[in-house]
Amino acid sequence: MLRVALPNKGTLADPAATMMREAGYRQRSDQRDLSMVDEENQIEFFYLRPKDIATYVGKGDLHLGVTGFDLMEESGSQVQTVLELGFGGSRFQFAAPANEDWKLEDLDGKKIATSYPRLVRSYLSGKRIGAEIVKLDGAVEISIQLGLADAIADVVSSGRTLRQHNLVPIGDPIARSVATLIEREPRSDRPEDPEVTAVKQIFAERLRGVVLAREYLMMDYDCPRHLLEEAEKVAPGLQAPTVSPLSKPDWFAVRTMVPAKETNRVMDKLARLGATAILTSEIRSCRAMEGKPNGTNGVGRR
């Protein structure tokens, strides 16, 4: 049975569970449950602290896990990325009191509070900046007010928490993060059970289908024969549009996938071209040819 770790709390927990359901997997109904078996799909889900997931996967106790890319890197575990899941985007950044004009080099000799000491030390070492790292497990922003640190390094999403504590970012992000499906790096001395490998591949493909579906919309429109070639240039789809004849002579119904962010622009162009009855609909899930879209297929090492 495939063993998969999901976040039990935090900003990644609910989106991860939602994605699992969209991919056809059962999820726990009681938030206190630490595990749940989906017998039909031969998967057991474990609900763990996001910071611990990479450690469990890296040691081989679990086959796959969903966690933040930043947490994966901080763990130092022997894991690799299977798929970026498209939610939980954030940046990891230094921040300090807004009443001073801080530059990155001003951190030299200062105390920096963070929950990610490994990432911070590595980054500062590369910049030849010496600082004292104060490790905290949470509530990093308050450390400056309490006199424990001069600056912080923490995950920033909207920046609202920084503003609440009168802090401003310093320099470029140390790293950027997104929810990521991870697996253990392959080891020749511990080959994987072929049955587990088969279930793992199906699991990854289902999630890849959900990610792809969220990035695209299905677009339908009617188009006269003489405009079909130009219309396909505007909305080529992943491979090619589906074109079907209408009862009206020399008119065709066209169906194609369009990047969600470009939908309105594409609709405008098709309307100007002469297409009619243009509409869009959401895609629940899909499967794509190898290499689509934009690197979400395949495995990338950390």
Side-chain angles (χ1 to χ4, degrees):
M1 184 170 286
L2 184 69
R3 300 190 300 274
V4 179
L6 299 179
N8 67 340
K9 60 182 178 179
T11 57
L12 300 182
D14 287 343
T18 297
M19 176 169 278
M20 296 304 124
R21 293 188 183 98
E22 290 180 6
Y25 297 107
R26 292 181 55 226
Q27 288 297 288
R28 61 181 180 175
S29 55
D30 189 334
Q31 297 301 307
R32 294 170 295 182
D33 291 342
L34 299 180
S35 65
M36 195 217 71
V37 176
D38 183 343
E39 290 281 1
E40 181 180 352
N41 292 295
Q42 286 297 292
I43 294 181
E44 185 170 10
F45 291 101
F46 295 85
Y47 301 90
L48 308 173
R49 292 179 60 203
K51 282 191 173 183
D52 296 336
I53 288 175
T55 301
Y56 280 107
V57 174
K59 289 183 177 179
D61 300 312
L62 298 169
H63 301 110
L64 294 169
V66 173
T67 189
F69 182 81
D70 53 343
L71 296 174
M72 180 188 84
E73 289 288 283
E74 174 64 24
S75 74
S77 300
Q78 294 183 342
V79 295
Q80 63 187 18
T81 297
V82 178
L83 175 68
E84 291 185 355
L85 300 177
F87 63 86
S90 63
R91 63 187 187 277
F92 185 55
Q93 194 148 19
F94 293 111
N99 56 358
E100 298 183 37
D101 184 19
W102 288 82
K103 297 181 179 61
L104 188 64
E105 52 267 28
D106 295 331
L107 295 175
D108 193 52
K110 298 293 194 297
K111 292 182 178 181
I112 302 174
T114 185
S115 300
Y116 300 77
R118 183 175 179 272
L119 275 177
V120 173
R121 286 195 183 97
S122 176
Y123 185 85
L124 291 177
S125 176
K127 299 292 184 180
R128 298 181 181 274
I129 294 175
E132 180 182 344
I133 307 300
V134 180
K135 185 181 183 303
L136 298 176
D137 288 331
V140 173
E141 295 85 0
I142 201 67
S143 63
I144 298 176
Q145 184 177 338
L146 295 177
L148 185 65
D150 303 299
I152 67 170
D154 201 18
V155 174
V156 179
S157 296
S158 66
R160 182 174 62 87
T161 304
L162 291 184
R163 292 190 294 272
Q164 286 178 338
H165 292 86
N166 197 33
L167 302 176
V168 294
I170 302 174
D172 297 327
I174 302 169
R176 297 187 183 276
S177 184
V178 68
T180 305
L181 180 66
I182 62 173
E183 67 178 356
R184 181 180 177 146
E185 292 183 345
R187 285 180 50 174
S188 57
D189 61 328
R190 291 184 63 176
E192 195 169 73
D193 184 325
E195 291 186 6
V196 170
T197 299
V199 177
K200 179 194 285 189
Q201 290 174 344
I202 292 172
F203 182 81
E205 284 304 314
R206 285 195 187 186
L207 294 193
R208 188 171 287 114
V210 174
V211 172
L212 181 61
R214 290 178 176 182
E215 293 178 353
Y216 284 78
L217 291 175
M218 187 65 72
M219 182 173 290
D220 293 271
Y221 61 91
D222 295 343
C223 184
R225 182 190 298 273
H226 70 279
L227 294 178
L228 281 175
E229 186 174 345
E230 288 300 314
E232 183 174 348
K233 293 178 181 178
V234 174
L238 291 186
Q239 291 177 291
T242 299
V243 180
S244 305
L246 294 174
S247 57
K248 185 177 180 179
D250 290 327
W251 275 79
F252 293 83
V254 182
R255 166 166 282 200
T256 187
M257 290 174 66
V258 176
K261 294 180 180 179
E262 301 178 15
T263 301
N264 288 309
R265 181 184 61 81
V266 171
M267 293 179 78
D268 293 341
K269 287 187 174 182
L270 289 173
R272 287 196 298 267
L273 190 63
T276 63
I278 308 169
L279 59 90
T280 61
S281 55
E282 292 184 354
I283 305 170
R284 184 174 180 83
S285 186
C286 66
R287 300 294 184 271
M289 58 182 282
E290 185 66 22
K292 295 285 186 177
N294 297 334
T296 57
N297 286 279
V299 171
R301 293 186 178 275
R302 66 181 179 92

